[in-house]
Amino acid sequence: MDLYTRGENAFLKAYGRYDVILEKGEGVYLYDTNGKKYLDFYSGIGVNSFGHNYRPYVEALQKQIETLTHVSNYFYTSQAIEAAEKVKAATKLSGVFFANSGAEAVEGALKLARKYYYLKHGKADSEIISFQHSFHGRTTGAVKLTGNLHYQEAFGPLIEGVHYATLNDLSSVEQLINEKTSAIIVEPLQGEGGLYPCHQDFMQGLRKLCDEHDICLILDEVQCGMGRTGTIMTYFQYGILPDIVCLAKGIGCGVPVGAFVANEKFAKAMQPGDHGSTYGGNPFVCMAVKTVFEIIEKENMIAHVQDISEYLIERLEEVVDEFDQVEGYRGLGLMQGLIFKSDVKPVVKALLDEGVIVVTAGENVLRMLPPFIIEKQHVDEFIEKLKKVLKSCQ
Ligand SMILES: *Cc1c(COP(=O)(O)O)cnc(C)c1O
């Protein structure tokens, strides 16, 4: 039996997988079991910021795995402390909790916001405001925060008291605020929902509303954080700080780790026994987190993201001009979406055949999340193959 069929026989059918089995990666390229080469323009959904087999990262993890991989949170390790210090400094917030995924980071943030409300009101009846088209993960709490019924429908009853406002419409948020509102959760740049960025005045308005009503502003930077949009946290582009930020994807660059980070006000609400995770922040993943920050700093990765994304945008504009089926592009830094007039899946599939991996965002957005280490020649290769595909799809 071929490998793909064995996979189809062994797994629950939670995903519609491509008929390609990836075997190894080197730099910005992936190779399948037939030796076919693919330009990686999705980084395992915004995870592998340094591409594949990035030596300083690999060597740090090799060394760590031989020393200590897991001890549980009954103990500190130097790797966990150093990682937390890096996260704290980068976010300009106060206290870190390491989880294992984005959804878990969101769940933890939600619990902390609710705990703060509970300490203040003496009741556990708080409500949350989220946004239409948002995505916050697949666990039963995070999926309820996800403003897309499609992900929720079959799995109720889910958590209560979640209301959905319209992104970039402050009055839609104001209308939902009441004395029970404990948190507003928003992605500064919506990923899965179609690459919609928050407007500057909207984000600042949210910050103001949260301050006025003592509501916790949770920013979900699981996808847009860690340098992808051209600043280490996207919120620095808005001139605000959140009360809690959620991180995952690019924070570990390939090992399963997430984090939520709170400012001093909300950090105080966390008490021993409130939350926990057996794996969360073990020395192996924390070595990855620490190394990721070191590489970003040492290699000036963020400046490179800014430069190379400018070039990518230039070339995307050219595609928009040239092809009728493409309406425009939107995004920030190396998190860009090309907006199509119709279903984009056939384009994504044709690109895969051409040896380029991208993902979708919603029905009609082709989402690009290339590794930070791409150079002009990789952008050119991408655009050339994209144009070829678009010509054949016209
Ligand atoms: C991917 C993602 C999540 C969920 O992360 P998982 O690691 O898949 O649980 C949450 N929020 C945002 C914005 C994401 O992009």
Side-chain angles (χ1 to χ4, degrees), residues 101-104 106 135-137 187 192 220 222-223 248-249:
S101 67
E104 276 183 55
V106 169
F135 183 85
H136 298 293
E187 297 155 85
E192 306 297 314
D220 183 345
V222 166
Q223 192 163 153
K249 295 197 167 100

Side-chain angles (χ1 to χ4, degrees), residues 45 100-106 134-139 142 146 187 189-192 220-224 246 248-249 257 335 367:
I45 323 183
N100 309 291
S101 67
E104 276 183 55
V106 169
S134 61
F135 183 85
H136 298 293
R138 304 292 204 138
T139 52
T146 292
E187 297 155 85
L189 169 57
Q190 287 187 340
E192 306 297 314
D220 183 345
E221 296 227 14
V222 166
Q223 192 163 153
C224 66
C246 301
K249 295 197 167 100
V257 54
M335 183 167 167
R367 183 168 32 147

Side-chain angles (χ1 to χ4, degrees), residues 160-188:
E160 285 173 30
V162 179
H163 305 287
Y164 308 98
T166 308
L167 199 75
N168 291 321
D169 178 353
L170 208 56
S171 70
S172 78
V173 180
E174 280 174 307
Q175 279 164 25
L176 293 174
I177 291 179
N178 62 48
E179 67 285 353
K180 289 188 179 177
T181 310
S182 62
I184 297 176
I185 182 165
V186 66
E187 297 155 85

